[in-house]
Amino acid sequence: MQPETAYLARTRGDGGQNRIGPEMRELLGLIRTQELLAARRLDGGDQFFSRANDFGYSKNPEETLRIWDEDEVLADVVWVIRTWRPDVIINRFDMNRAGKTHGHHTASAILSYQAFDLAARRDVYPEQLQWVEPWQPRRLFYNTSWWRYGSREAFEEVDKSDMVQVDVGSFFPLHGVSSTEVAARSRSMHKSQGFGMVSDRGRKTEYLQILKGDLPGDRADLFEGVNTSWSRVEGGAPIGQVLAEVERAFDFTAPHKSAAGLLKAYRMIRALPDGHWKRMKQKEAEELILACLGFYAEAATASFSATPGEEVEVSFELTNRSPVPVRVLRAEMLPTATDTLVQRDLAYNEPLEWKQRLRLPEDLDYTNPYWLNQSWALGMYRVDRQPLRGLPETPRSLRVRFSLEVDGQPLQFERELVYKGRDLAAGEVNRPFEVLPPVFAELKNQVYIFPDRKAQDIQVTVRAGQDEPIEGRLRLELPPGWQARPDLQEVQLASDSPAKTVTFRVQPPEEQSEGKVRAVFTRSDGQRFDRRLVEIDYPHIPHQMVLLDNAARIVKLDIEKSGKRVGYVMGAGDEVPASLRQIGYQVDMLDEKALEADALEPYDAIILGVRAYNVQDYLQVQQPKLLEYVERGGTLVVQYNKAPRFDSQMVMSDEEMGPFPFHISRDRVTVEEAEVRFLEPDHPVLNYPNKISAADFEDWVQERGLYFPDEWDEAYTPILSMNDPGEDPKKGSLLVASYGEGHYVYTGLSFFRQLPAGVPGAFRLFANLISLGQEERP
């Protein structure tokens, strides 16, 4: 047996930033899930996840394990070990670095260390044992390196007697690449994190420090003493002998010659007692036989989605591109009872094609990411069905089971039902086939801000997910004190007009109020629908269609503003411009051409999006114009950036970002409830046009801020002080400087998270930033 690898990620990266688009939180987690799967398709590994979600940067594992449900995440790690049954586990992170690196990373190593022994005990999480058996891995390592010890020189002096050394720079002649080149390509799939890598070649040694289990005598062999042959399976030794002969005689120019030997091994595998190895190896043998035959099998539709109970046309194609005789017996559509009796011999390289109408079951589940189907709390997704836990995706229920006779021997395999279309530029387009609700109700915005007592229109788009006409009533569910007119609206959708936008006039209460607004469509048969459909389409991952609760945040906000028009330079992607429009600002998006035009005078403020200097190269050239705008009386608000030492793609130093130098650090405050102290309580930014108080820092989400400057020119005035528990005060979250007749602001406060979340105090403070200098103007 050849070694197989799998990667267990504790979270899906939900709490990070997005360098390719505006998706955040659970949608970013979905993108990163698909990026990990894209990487696994390149490196050949399996992928697993726990139910923990990424709540943002954590400075220590104690906080992480408190916000995660420690016991539940540990149960997930044990489950994956019992399911996948590894012999060797390698921790990528150091469990002894508490407080020195990301708390999520340290916590993941701690849980792995604990699970190593617990997975073998029948009294630990016994509820799992109806699906899996206990399993004891042989060895647990930590992948250490020189950076753990501060320098290469220091690492040279470290006692390595408890380490295994592995050369990971091996070259694979059949593929024409080395493992390090594969690693660079797979890591480069993490585009939302900006993890593009340049390949390197040659010998590269990794060091694995033993944590549990026995240290192999041969320090270059992780599996020394581990039986990785077929003899580890009861009755498997003869299978190993057959497969060894197949491997010895394999002809890469005529792989079909190995079919007879593989079919013999397949028969022997099917005769084994039921168990983990039988299930896994039987599926692998089926796919290997088909690959050697050059066998093509497909079940596709010309529609990318349908609803439960709807009928679709399925196109089948089976092609045998080998001289080995193959007879098609039947095709069964799962989970329906549709069974097509084919009984046809496949001629060499001649496709067998047919079409068939299929009615989807009325009780078919929607094809949604399973961890997003139930409401979740900070730190943990809720997944009640144990077999789903750990899986990277929701298994597709619509599948086809093909039954064949290959050289007279029965063989079964399955394929997912997919959508196949044609694009004039891209050619053939394939994407997953989706099962969706018959109707969606989508609010236009995810946050509604009412900056005064005036009523506003809230628009809801009702969209059909099927071809048949739909009738029903639409209403808004609002918090107490809010009113919508009218209360209900009749909606009819026809096949020639599958969408309709309905407007409600919503009146806020007099006092400040926060809550949720939800659009609910009740079909004529009484069934309720309140989900929205989100589509994610990037070229490096499969097209994603996600069903989410359509509830939006609604806020009656006590806010004053000075100034009306701002220019916004987009950075790595955020929703701040839309949030500012919600409170009445005209927001013009500025690109390189707009800055070159030197027409910035009309703007009350220019705002740079998060990490703008990291992703917009042209800002280095246009920086003098921005500073000239400030000097002539404008206000420039720069949101957080990484310094060049933290972002190798950036060519502009942090000392050049402002009119006076400052130094960006990795300082951050991750506890969103951390006390905020006012260093300059009389400064205009805390008083005009909104009087900022401690209450304005309540209900912040995920964090206070990140990448604060820790040194700055005396021309800057630090406005706020804050810190996480047990740390020294950080004073660099908000710096303001007068420059010429205008004002320059650098802030690491995470407005890019707070404004889209509808945090009232963040809106009030941001309005004050835009208003700097306005109190002095006519």
Side-chain angles (χ1 to χ4, degrees), residues 17-202:
Q17 286 90 51
N18 186 353
R19 292 198 64 158
I20 61 173
E23 296 87 359
M24 299 296 286
R25 300 173 295 279
E26 66 274 9
L27 294 180
L28 176 58
L30 180 61
I31 290 173
R32 292 188 173 182
T33 294
Q34 291 299 323
E35 289 177 338
L36 278 164
L37 290 173
R40 300 294 82 80
R41 285 190 286 272
L42 288 171
D43 61 32
D46 291 332
Q47 181 69 53
F48 297 100
F49 294 92
S50 82
R51 287 169 290 163
N53 65 43
D54 180 352
F55 55 84
Y57 190 86
S58 176
K59 292 183 176 178
N60 58 74
E62 291 78 20
E63 179 196 39
T64 296
L65 295 174
R66 175 176 55 82
I67 296 177
W68 292 352
D69 187 321
E70 179 177 357
D71 186 67
E72 289 297 297
V73 181
L74 179 59
D76 287 352
V77 179
V78 169
W79 168 258
V80 171
I81 291 174
R82 288 172 170 174
T83 301
W84 202 73
R85 300 167 76 88
D87 294 307
V88 175
I89 297 176
I90 299 173
N91 283 357
R92 190 67 183 90
F93 304 110
D94 187 354
M95 66 180 183
N96 297 313
R97 298 274 289 175
K100 299 179 181 179
T101 185
H102 200 319
H104 292 183
H105 298 167
T106 311
S108 71
I110 292 171
L111 295 175
S112 176
Y113 188 84
Q114 295 172 352
F116 182 84
D117 296 315
L118 295 179
R121 292 173 47 181
R122 302 193 74 89
D123 61 332
V124 174
Y125 308 118
E127 68 279 3
Q128 298 179 359
L129 300 184
Q130 61 178 301
W131 294 281
V132 294
E133 288 294 320
W135 179 254
Q136 178 60 68
R138 179 68 176 266
R139 298 182 178 111
L140 174 65
F141 292 100
Y142 160 54
N143 180 197
T144 190
S145 183
W146 64 265
W147 42 259
R148 168 65 175 81
Y149 297 89
S151 69
R152 297 182 186 275
E153 293 75 19
F155 189 54
E156 287 294 328
E157 303 300 321
V158 171
D159 178 13
K160 301 181 180 62
S161 60
D162 61 346
M163 299 182 190
V164 171
Q165 300 181 28
V166 180
D167 177 17
V168 298
S170 303
F171 177 70
F172 307 115
L174 292 179
H175 298 282
V177 293
S178 65
S179 55
T180 50
E181 290 172 299
V182 174
R185 293 175 186 177
S186 63
R187 187 172 174 83
S188 295
M189 297 308 296
H190 298 276
K191 300 184 187 304
S192 65
Q193 293 178 272
F195 275 1
M197 299 290 291
V198 175
S199 299
D200 57 6
R201 284 149 290 280

Side-chain angles (χ1 to χ4, degrees), residues 271-314:
L272 291 173
D274 189 38
H276 168 78
W277 290 112
K278 176 184 177 178
R279 291 190 296 270
M280 183 173 71
K281 293 302 177 182
Q282 180 174 320
K283 184 175 181 181
E284 290 179 358
E286 290 164 355
E287 295 300 327
L288 183 56
I289 292 168
L290 295 172
C292 286
L293 299 180
F295 197 89
Y296 184 81
E298 179 183 80
T301 74
S303 301
F304 57 79
S305 70
T307 64
E310 193 172 2
E311 191 175 77
V312 296
E313 184 176 71
V314 181

